[in-house]
């Protein structure tokens, strides 16, 4: 899930971005209101963390312009993070369409909990736990497990597998995976996705081999669909190979 963090205090922005990435989220940053407005006009995000006191364009104006656009982007959840904790501005922000509000200073643990709650709410009635064979992903803890055992992944491997398991049984294009795994500032090209697909696929294969030995249930497999993308499905759902 890709988050836009709009914060002009560079040290705070860096600290928050690192904490959110450690929580397995893809984070892009903007340090003024005009840049944030431009990104929100052209990019899709799962959540916006928005400071109010920003250079070039005030945070409330960024929020007002976002909601005025309508459509999917106009409905992007927004959490306001600001030192301007007056009741009038809080009410104004909520009336303009903010979904939550935290006054600085705040505890990181509370911020992470509220971020996860907003992301779950934005998913509507989707399951809290996604499964594919013996593989499962808990959207509350944001952790993967295989046959009940923690399934360790690097942050980008985690982002790749999350994008696939939340669409289990459906093809996901390389372009869509790229958008969800990498931030705009990352100096990588589209083919980098293939490297992470290879790494995740290898870890799944190793888990399947270990699971067979221990009697674990069906494993999960990533299939490459040429010209279409990638598909995560239970191994049992794969068509048997044609006899030679």
């Amino acid at each position: 899930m890709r988050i836009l963090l709009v914060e002009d205090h560079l040290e705070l922005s860096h600290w928050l971005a690192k904490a959110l990435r450690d929580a397995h989220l893809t984070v892009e940053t903007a340090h003024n209101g005009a840049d944030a407005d431009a990104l929100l006009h052209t990019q899709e995000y799962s959540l916006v963390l928005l400071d109010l006191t920003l250079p070039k364009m005030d945070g409330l104006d960024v929020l007002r312009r976002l909601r005025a656009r309508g459509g999917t982007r106009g409905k992007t959840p927004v959490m306001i993070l600001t030192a301007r904790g007056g009741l009038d501005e809080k009410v104004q922000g909520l009336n303009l369409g903010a979904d939550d509000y935290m006054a600085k200073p705040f505890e990181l643990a509370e911020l992470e909990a509220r971020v996860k709650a907003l992301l779950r709410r934005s998913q509507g009635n989707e399951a809290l736990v996604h499964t594919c064979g013996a593989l499962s992903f808990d959207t509350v803890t944001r952790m993967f497990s295989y046959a009940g055992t923690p399934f360790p992944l690097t942050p980008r491997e985690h982002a790749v597998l999350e994008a696939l398991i939340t669409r289990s049984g459906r093809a996901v294009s390389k372009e869509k995976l790229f958008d969800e795994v990498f931030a705009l500032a990352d100096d990588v090209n589209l083919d980098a996705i293939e490297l992470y697909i290879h790494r995740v696929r290898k870890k799944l294969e190793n888990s399947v081999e270990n699971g067979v030995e221990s009697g674990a249930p069906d494993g999960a497999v990533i299939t490459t669909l040429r010209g279409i993308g990638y598909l995560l499905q239970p191994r049992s759902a794969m068509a048997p190979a044609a006899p030679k």
Side-chain angles (χ1 to χ4, degrees), residues 123 126-132 135-139 143-145 162 165-168 170:
Q123 293 174 346
E126 290 187 14
L128 293 179
V129 178
H130 297 271
T131 61
C132 182
L135 182 71
S136 64
F137 174 62
D138 189 318
T139 62
M143 299 298 293
F144 279 97
S145 61
E162 180 180 346
I165 199 169
T166 53
R167 302 172 178 85
S168 181
R170 293 177 285 163

Side-chain angles (χ1 to χ4, degrees), residues 17 25 41-42 54 58 60 108 112 117 121 128 134-135 147-148 157-158 182 189 194 224 226-227:
L25 295 164
H41 188 67
T42 59
L54 296 167
D58 187 77
L60 289 176
L108 182 58
E112 291 182 0
R121 193 187 310 164
L128 293 179
L135 182 71
E157 291 169 357
H158 189 287
F182 297 102
N189 61 38
E194 296 178 7
T224 300
R226 298 296 179 188

Side-chain angles (χ1 to χ4, degrees), residues 50-178:
L50 180 65
D51 189 18
L52 292 186
T53 307
L54 296 167
K56 298 187 179 181
M57 184 184 296
D58 187 77
L60 289 176
D61 290 330
V62 174
L63 176 59
R64 185 182 292 107
R65 288 169 62 87
L66 172 65
R67 292 296 184 243
R69 290 189 187 107
T72 302
R73 288 177 183 155
K75 296 178 182 178
T76 304
V78 174
M79 179 188 291
I80 291 176
L81 305 176
T82 182
R84 286 156 51 177
L87 179 60
D88 289 345
E89 287 187 324
K90 181 176 181 179
V91 170
Q92 186 178 4
L94 294 173
N95 285 340
L96 285 173
D99 298 272
D100 201 354
Y101 193 110
M102 288 192 71
K104 301 175 184 176
F106 49 78
E107 293 293 333
L108 182 58
E110 182 182 1
L111 173 65
E112 291 182 0
R114 290 200 188 189
V115 164
K116 291 176 182 179
L118 277 178
L119 291 172
R120 288 197 306 271
R121 193 187 310 164
S122 69
Q123 293 174 346
N125 295 323
E126 290 187 14
L128 293 179
V129 178
H130 297 271
T131 61
C132 182
L135 182 71
S136 64
F137 174 62
D138 189 318
T139 62
V140 177
T141 62
R142 301 195 56 72
M143 299 298 293
F144 279 97
S145 61
Y146 178 85
T149 302
F151 188 68
L153 297 160
T154 67
R156 283 179 176 167
E157 291 169 357
H158 189 287
V160 166
L161 194 52
E162 180 180 346
L164 291 173
I165 199 169
T166 53
R167 302 172 178 85
S168 181
R170 293 177 285 163
V172 184
S173 70
K174 182 187 290 187
E175 292 79 8
K176 180 65 174 176
L177 281 177
F178 186 87

